[in-house]
């Protein structure tokens, strides 16, 4: 079997994680290219549908990155995001995708190093879990179509 | 999922009314369930075609009629309305299997965001006018009509510390209104025929009904 490269979607808050990713870049820190960053105005703006759609289209892992507790630009969007993530983990278990493919992380805009580390940790974790069942099926379907 | 397992083309229908405001079966929940079902079936190695549509109301035939054009292309319908909507869709489209996706539980009010509690059982001959606006039928575990039982402690019901004693609430409110004498009125045993004991209920407004 070819080496499995997970597809990971990271919803990053503009005020912290997205800037931290920028910082990681300026610091020339390495982080896996598996992580696809989507910038959002606040982690609290990430809706369940965005996360579910990511998995439906074949993401192997998703994480939402918001500000440290008490630092949300919009008061408590980060904590709302965490509640949403915890709730969705249960749904993902029911669906058969597995709740451990979804995580919430917190960081500040200055934590470039933490951003790179979280990206590595998540990529490694998902690599261990293997491809999501949806991803596997979508790939099979694509192969069948091609042949 | 077991319900729709045998089918390949599903119409998932939401309702813009009550189920929308209680985050159970509106357009948003239709989108979420559709995506979740899609992923769940894909995970199990099956792809299904799910059409999403949300009606203004599912309990009125005029709106349910809107689905006519979509019915030919689907094998089954999954309704996210309350039981009334599910049944109206099933009545109108007799040759399509219709399944409920929302488990309708009670008529309630929202206590705070994300929390709903039962308030009305639709039992007929409303008592709220004499019980300080608090219903002993829907909110007393024993549906007592004349004051609390011995299980009322510190304003809570004996079934759970989470449940208020309805009669405590009634008494507190009557006191606040200066209507303590109301409490002395004996409420006779309820005639449960209006609560469903007399068979399925129906209301006919002669001025409106053709």
């Amino acid at each position: 079997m070819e080496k499995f490269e997970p597809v990971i979607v990271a919803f990053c808050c503009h005020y912290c994680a997205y800037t931290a990713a920028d910082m990681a870049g300026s610091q020339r820190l390495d982080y896996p290219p598996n992580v696809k960053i989507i910038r959002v105005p606040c982690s609290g703006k990430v809706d369940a549908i965005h996360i579910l759609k990511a998995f439906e289209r074949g993401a192997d892992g998703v994480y939402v990155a918001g500000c440290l507790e008490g630092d949300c630009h919009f008061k408590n969007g980060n904590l709302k995001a965490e509640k949403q993530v915890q709730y969705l983990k249960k749904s993902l278990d029911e669906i058969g995708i597995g709740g451990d493919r979804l995580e919430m992380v917190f960081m500040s805009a200055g934590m470039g190093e933490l951003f790179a580390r979280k990206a590595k940790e998540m990529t490694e974790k998902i690599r261990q879990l293997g491809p999501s069942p949806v991803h596997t099926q979508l790939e099979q379907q694509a192969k069948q179509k091609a042949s | 999922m077991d319900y729709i397992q045998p089918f390949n083309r599903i119409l998932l229908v939401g309702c813009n009314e009550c189920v929308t405001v209680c985050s159970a079966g509106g357009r948003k929940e239709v989108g979420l369930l559709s995506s979740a079902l899609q992923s769940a079936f894909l995970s199990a190695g099956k792809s299904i075609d799910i059409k999403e549509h949300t009606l203004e109301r599912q309990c009125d035939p005029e709106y349910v009629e809107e689905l006519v054009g979509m019915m030919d292309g689907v094998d089954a319908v999954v309704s996210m309305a309350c039981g009334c909507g599910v049944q109206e869709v099933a009545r109108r489209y007799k040759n399509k299997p219709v399944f409920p996706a929302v488990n309708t539980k009670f008529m309630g009010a929202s206590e705070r965001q994300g929390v709903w509690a039962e308030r009305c059982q639709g039992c007929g001959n409303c008592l709220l006018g004499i019980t300080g606006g608090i219903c002993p039928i829907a909110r007393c575990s024993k549906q007592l009509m004349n004051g609390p039982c011995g299980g009322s402690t510190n304003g809570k019901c004996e079934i759970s510390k989470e449940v208020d004693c309805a009669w405590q609430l009634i008494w507190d409110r009557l006191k606040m209104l200066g209507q303590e004498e109301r409490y002395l009125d004996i409420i006779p045993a309820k005639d449960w025929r209006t609560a469903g004991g007399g068979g399925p209920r129906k209301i006919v407004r002669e001025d409106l009904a053709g």
Side-chain angles (χ1 to χ4, degrees), chain A residues 11-27:
Chain A
F11 292 98
C12 294
C13 159
H14 164 77
Y15 293 94
C16 55
Y18 191 80
T19 313
D22 215 14
M23 173 79 82
S26 317
Q27 292 176 311

Side-chain angles (χ1 to χ4, degrees), chain A residues 47 49 52 56 95 134 137 141, chain B residues 28 31-32 35 39 42 47:
Chain A
D47 193 272
I49 193 73
L52 284 181
E56 186 190 331
I95 292 168
V134 176
Q137 286 298 324
Q141 283 180 5
Chain B
K28 182 174 170 142
L32 290 171
S35 177
S39 295
L42 260 178
S47 37

Side-chain angles (χ1 to χ4, degrees), chain A residues 31-90:
Chain A
Y31 65 87
N34 307 62
V35 175
K36 321 285 180 215
I37 296 174
I38 296 177
R39 182 170 67 150
V40 289
C42 172
S43 57
K45 189 67 197 136
V46 180
D47 193 272
I49 193 73
H50 303 131
I51 296 172
L52 284 181
K53 281 282 174 196
F55 282 114
E56 186 190 331
R57 305 270 165 90
D60 300 299
V62 173
Y63 64 97
V64 180
C67 299
L68 297 172
E69 196 177 337
D71 280 356
C72 176
H73 193 76
F74 303 100
K75 209 169 149 196
N76 58 0
N78 51 349
L79 303 180
K80 286 183 175 163
E82 189 184 20
K83 268 187 166 177
Q84 164 111 278
V85 163
Q86 295 308 331
Y87 184 73
L88 269 178
K89 273 171 164 281
K90 286 184 237 159

Side-chain angles (χ1 to χ4, degrees), chain B residues 171-184:
Chain B
W171 172 247
D172 291 346
R173 176 120 165 94
L174 288 178
K175 254 199 325 200
M176 208 177 282
L177 295 169
Q179 296 179 351
E180 287 99 325
E181 76 286 355
R182 275 261 159 84
Y183 187 69
L184 298 174

